[in-house]
Amino acid sequence: MLRRITPALLTVLVVSLGVAALAARPPQDTPRRTADFVVLAGVAGLRWEDVDPQRTPTLWRMAQEGSIGSLSVRSAHRPTCPVDGWLTLGAGSFAAWNGSRSPDGCPTAGVTVEQPDGIGANLPDQESVVQYNQQRLPWGALPGSLSESVRCSVAVGPGAAVAAARPFGRVDRYAPALPADPRTLLGACVLSIVDLGTVEGTDPETRAEEARAADAQLARVLAARPPRSLVLVAGISDTAQPSRLHVAVADGPGWERGWLTSASTGRDGYLQLVDLAPTALAALGRPMPERLFLGRPAVSTDGRPADLAEAIDAPADADREAAAQRDVSGVFFTVLAGVQVLLALGILPLLRRARPHAGPAGPTPVSGRILAVVELLLVAVALTVPAALLADAVPWWQGDHPGWIFAGVTALLVAAGTAAVRFAPGYAGTLGPLGAVAGLTTLVVGLDVLTGASLQLNGVVGYSALQGGRYSGLSTVGLGVFLAGALLAGGWLAQRVHRVWRPAVTVAVGGLAVVVVGSPYLGADPVGAIALTAGVSVAAVISAGGWLTISRLAWATMAALAVGIGFGVVDLRRPPAERGSLGRFLSALGDGTGGFTVHRSSTENFETLVNSPLTVLALTGGLLVWFALLQPWGGLMRLFGIYPAVRAALAGTVVAAVLGGLLDGAALDVMGAAAALVVPMAVLASLRVLGHAADRTRPVPGRFRVSGADDDSGSGGVGPTGGGDGPTGGGPLGAAHPRPISGPPSDAPPVAPVPDAPTERGVDADDPAEPTAGGSAVAPRQATRSSTEVAAS
């Protein structure tokens, strides 16, 4: 009875942990009305390195008194050209200008602004721009949503006209440039948008001169600002490739001396271009078109250094790190994928020769020294991703050659981690390296998440603020290695206890991982938590033995759905401004706009699948496992039979990684990151199992056991013909079943005890679940070769 209800109890426990982790949200500052007027002043290309007391004294004083942050200028087009940035500002969503583009990616034709009455203006191209964004682009942006949310708006300059134009092209109030006295113009409407100019090029003198001109224009705006007004200054776009982070400053009542942040980033000091429109409406106390805005209102948070120079160093340094990360990240993953491919090719002959030959003649065994070196290489490769994450604790991007510095730091950390695993207690065991690497990886990534994920932001194996996809919590790569490490560590721990307790251990470790991944306080990845819930459920139900049956897969699917539905219901009950990504998607489904999200996700999956080096990692690992490790000579089936909890952990990792990647629009990236850890450890454990395939153990008095049998599980055999844990044992799906054998076959010679025979490594002698000699799950072997051995050799 207990065995039948165990899957249900485990499902309820995992679902409860998942929903509890996702439902709890940190308190957020509620945006409130702080101004009667809002002035949005944009300078295309303005970065923090352009700001200093001499060149830009007005902006410097404004930043001293107000709140500052790093602005990601992501739009629907990359790079974000000035016209794309202005259009995104007015849409409150990722938008882009249509028409032909030059080789640098920007539109070839300028914006046409007509002034038929001398008061307002008209953009004749606006109708085609709206159609392009609504029908051709996956974001469904509506240009002019910001101006449609107020009764009237003012635009100064052509860029501002693009932002202020209503969907049908009308600009309420327009001036090509600031008049001699701009007081009347800026006070005509509650919302004013001002184009202060452009800062472009790479020449320092040219940039300094253009920044000085923009600062002079800003001084005139501040002198003429209406009473009780909020002034927002933003580096509205890029002016050259590659993309950079830009200036964001807010000055007004309630915005004194803080960091700018928003719910869309979840990180102090960072906001997006799409956040500026909802910030303006929130400051004015106006309702927002939630269906149209992707951004969230910005707020001012405490913690900024009193010294402005020190405070500005933080966003300027973040910009340098993000720029260096973009250059180094692609090379790193390409090299890692290449190393994995070479390692997979080189490991094939070793797998063929790893198993000792039982007869008088056979292939020459592999040298023990070679195997030891290969094992260390496998450990080093598995630790490369966590070492690269930890390397971001060193400011490698500040050097003259950041790529080489990063490579050197990562290599040192890989060497240190490999040495720690090599000299860790239990390394000689079959599962010793696997447990150590999994635990070390989980510890590194978990501690980073628990301490604010500072190593993830702009890290080589993290996420970049320039991409605008994620700013806090776990990255795609971080999710892959963390879920793989947590599930493998849980499987390693579960294998060391009695089989009755293995599901509970798996759920305990996996449940904690779900909390870390999904909690908004920590990993902030609800999709990853839902996928990990499915993986933990799969691992739990097969950790005690047997294979993944239809009923067990159904339990895992139900658990993931229950977590998703439970969190979705909780999220939908929150106010629209406080909903997470899942709640916003379900709300979009309700009002008929969910198709945009589905289209974006499918597009992102395809682009990532084609362009990401992690796809190569995933495919290489899958091919190695399927065509080598899972073959009779590959050793993985034998490993699965001896250690069912490890088999369960690997199955759960595959389920969680595939689901997490597809649901999050990352295709095989999560699987590739997980494979970078899992595949080398699976190869190492398989080599060790094969190396001891011909070992004998002391027979249990009065009982003969089939090789690989688990004393209390009744699973018989580990090879293709083994009883419970092989693919054909115990039924069509390999379910475990008792297979007692009272003695050796009648046609086999008697088995003589071997008092001091070597045993297979991997399980401690005090393991209660494996009471054979030396704690191994290996059973006594006959002097002659078994049918399984003959087939395998």
Side-chain angles (χ1 to χ4, degrees):
M1 180 65 181
L2 179 61
R3 183 177 180 181
R4 292 183 178 180
I5 66 173
T6 296
L9 295 176
L10 293 176
T11 301
V12 171
L13 180 58
V14 173
V15 168
S16 301
L17 287 171
V19 175
L22 296 174
R25 299 184 69 88
Q28 298 179 355
D29 293 336
T30 303
R32 60 189 185 279
R33 178 173 180 174
T34 60
D36 296 330
F37 298 88
V38 170
V39 180
L40 290 172
V43 185
L46 183 66
R47 303 196 293 260
W48 280 111
E49 64 187 34
D50 301 317
V51 180
D52 66 23
Q54 290 74 37
R55 288 194 301 261
T56 57
T58 304
L59 185 57
W60 185 270
R61 288 193 299 269
M62 183 181 174
Q64 180 72 58
E65 300 299 326
S67 296
I68 65 173
S70 295
L71 181 69
S72 171
V73 295
R74 179 185 177 185
S75 68
H77 183 266
R78 296 182 183 181
T80 297
C81 302
V83 67
D84 300 322
W86 286 111
L87 198 66
T88 298
L89 170 63
S93 181
F94 301 130
W97 194 264
N98 64 338
S100 60
R101 294 182 178 262
S102 61
D104 64 355
C106 291
T108 54
V111 177
T112 302
V113 181
E114 299 175 347
Q115 292 183 269
D117 54 13
I119 298 175
N122 181 64
L123 269 63
D125 298 327
Q126 186 75 342
E127 182 179 354
S128 63
V129 171
V130 170
Q131 291 179 354
Y132 175 71
N133 282 273
Q134 291 274 289
Q135 299 175 11
R136 300 284 300 277
L137 298 181
W139 301 100
L142 179 62
S145 294
L146 175 58
S147 58
E148 283 286 277
S149 302
V150 296
R151 293 190 61 181
C152 79
S153 60
V154 171
V156 178
V162 173
R166 295 179 183 270
F168 52 88
R170 175 67 178 177
V171 180
D172 301 328
R173 303 283 192 276
Y174 178 71
L178 281 172
D181 185 3
R183 295 178 187 274
T184 302
L185 181 62
L186 297 180
C189 299
V190 295
L191 175 65
S192 298
I193 304 176
V194 182
D195 184 352
L196 297 179
T198 301
V199 178
E200 59 185 341
T202 58
D203 179 57
E205 293 298 327
T206 301
R207 293 189 65 88
E209 187 61 33
E210 292 172 343
R212 187 177 294 108
D215 190 75
Q217 294 289 90
L218 176 62
R220 298 180 60 196
V221 171
L222 293 180
R225 64 190 295 182
R228 190 174 163 76
S229 60
L230 168 65
V231 178
L232 286 166
V233 178
I236 211 73
S237 70
D238 293 309
T239 52
Q241 295 189 24
S243 298
R244 303 288 293 272
L245 293 174
H246 296 270
V247 168
V249 181
D251 178 48
W255 300 86
E256 294 85 2
R257 297 176 180 269
W259 289 116
L260 287 175
T261 189
S262 75
S264 72
T265 64
R267 176 133 3 214
D268 290 349
Y270 288 86
L271 71 161
Q272 300 186 75
L273 181 59
V274 294
D275 296 329
L276 297 184
T279 300
L281 294 184
L284 293 170
R286 300 299 177 94
M288 295 181 221
E290 287 294 333
R291 187 178 67 86
L292 300 176
F293 281 0
L294 286 179
R296 286 292 178 261
V299 295
S300 178
T301 59
D302 298 330
R304 198 187 92 179
D307 182 25
L308 181 60
E310 181 183 351
I312 287 180
D313 280 344
D317 189 59
D319 181 35
R320 289 192 294 269
E321 182 181 5
Q325 184 257 17
R326 178 187 50 243
D327 297 332
V328 174
S329 180
V331 176
F332 170 79
F333 284 111
T334 300
V335 171
L336 180 61
V339 170
Q340 291 270 32
V341 170
L342 293 176
L343 195 60
L345 295 176
I347 210 70
L348 293 177
L350 292 182
L351 288 171
R352 283 287 190 178
R353 299 167 55 190
R355 180 169 180 166
H357 193 68
T364 305
V366 181
S367 168
R369 291 184 178 180
I370 294 178
L371 283 177
V373 172
V374 170
E375 288 180 354
L376 291 179
L377 287 176
L378 290 170
V379 171
V381 170
L383 289 175
T384 300
V385 173
L389 176 66
L390 199 58
D392 262 41
V394 179
W396 53 268
W397 57 89
Q398 296 179 359
D400 294 333
H401 303 284
W404 289 107
I405 298 175
F406 170 80
V409 173
T410 303
L412 289 176
L413 291 173
V414 168
T418 304
V421 172
R422 172 61 184 84
F423 295 106
Y427 178 78
T430 301
L431 300 183
L434 182 147
V437 169
L440 191 59
T441 299
T442 307
L443 181 65
V444 169
V445 181
L447 285 179
D448 178 47
V449 174
L450 292 174
T451 54
S454 59
L455 300 181
Q456 304 271 337
L457 179 63
N458 296 325
V460 171
V461 298
Y463 38 77
S464 171
L466 297 176
Q467 299 298 321
R470 176 172 282 268
Y471 298 85
S472 61
L474 272 171
S475 65
T476 298
V477 177
L479 173 64
V481 295
F482 181 76
L483 67 84
L487 285 170
L488 284 182
W492 179 80
L493 287 173
Q495 188 60 47
R496 301 177 66 84
V497 302
H498 195 280
R499 70 183 297 269
V500 175
W501 297 104
R502 288 173 185 170
V505 172
T506 302
V507 168
V509 177
L512 289 176
V514 169
V515 173
V516 172
V517 171
S519 173
Y521 292 89
L522 302 172
D525 189 353
V527 172
I530 293 170
L532 183 55
T533 300
V536 171
S537 301
V538 167
V541 296
I542 65 175
S543 59
W547 288 87
L548 186 60
T549 62
I550 299 299
S551 61
R552 290 173 170 179
L553 183 60
W555 279 115
T557 304
M558 290 172 59
L561 288 175
V563 170
I565 294 172
F567 173 64
V569 171
V570 172
D571 207 19
L572 282 174
R573 296 175 63 89
R574 297 189 177 102
E578 298 180 10
R579 289 174 186 164
S581 57
L582 184 58
R584 296 179 68 181
F585 172 65
L586 294 176
S587 178
L589 288 179
D591 61 26
T593 60
F596 287 118
T597 304
V598 176
H599 177 51
R600 287 198 301 268
S601 180
S602 60
T603 301
E604 290 171 356
N605 273 315
F606 177 77
E607 292 179 352
T608 304
L609 181 67
V610 173
N611 300 320
S612 175
L614 288 170
T615 301
V616 178
L617 278 174
L619 294 178
T620 301
L623 292 174
L624 179 63
V625 170
W626 185 259
F627 290 104
L629 296 183
L630 287 177
Q631 299 303 310
W633 48 268
L636 193 58
M637 295 301 298
R638 184 177 182 83
L639 179 75
F640 285 170
I642 300 174
Y643 304 106
V646 174
R647 176 193 60 197
L650 292 175
T653 299
V654 173
V655 171
V658 171
L659 282 178
L662 293 178
L663 295 178
D664 212 16
L668 294 180
D669 275 11
V670 178
M671 187 67 245
L677 169 66
V678 170
V679 174
M681 290 298 94
V683 171
L684 193 155
S686 298
L687 285 172
R688 289 197 168 185
V689 167
L690 289 173
H692 293 270
D695 289 356
R696 303 178 186 179
T697 57
R698 189 183 302 109
V700 179
R703 182 184 177 194
F704 178 84
R705 295 196 306 144
V706 177
S707 175
D710 194 344
D711 283 335
D712 43 29
S713 68
S715 60
V718 298
T721 59
D725 290 322
T728 60
L733 293 178
H737 62 86
R739 191 181 179 189
I741 300 177
S742 58
S746 58
D747 57 348
V751 179
V754 185
D756 298 320
T759 60
E760 182 170 355
R761 300 175 292 177
V763 184
D764 290 345
D766 57 354
D767 185 353
E770 312 293 347
T772 58
S776 171
V778 180
R781 292 191 172 273
Q782 299 171 239
T784 59
R785 299 166 66 191
S786 66
S787 60
T788 301
E789 289 175 326
V790 173
S793 60

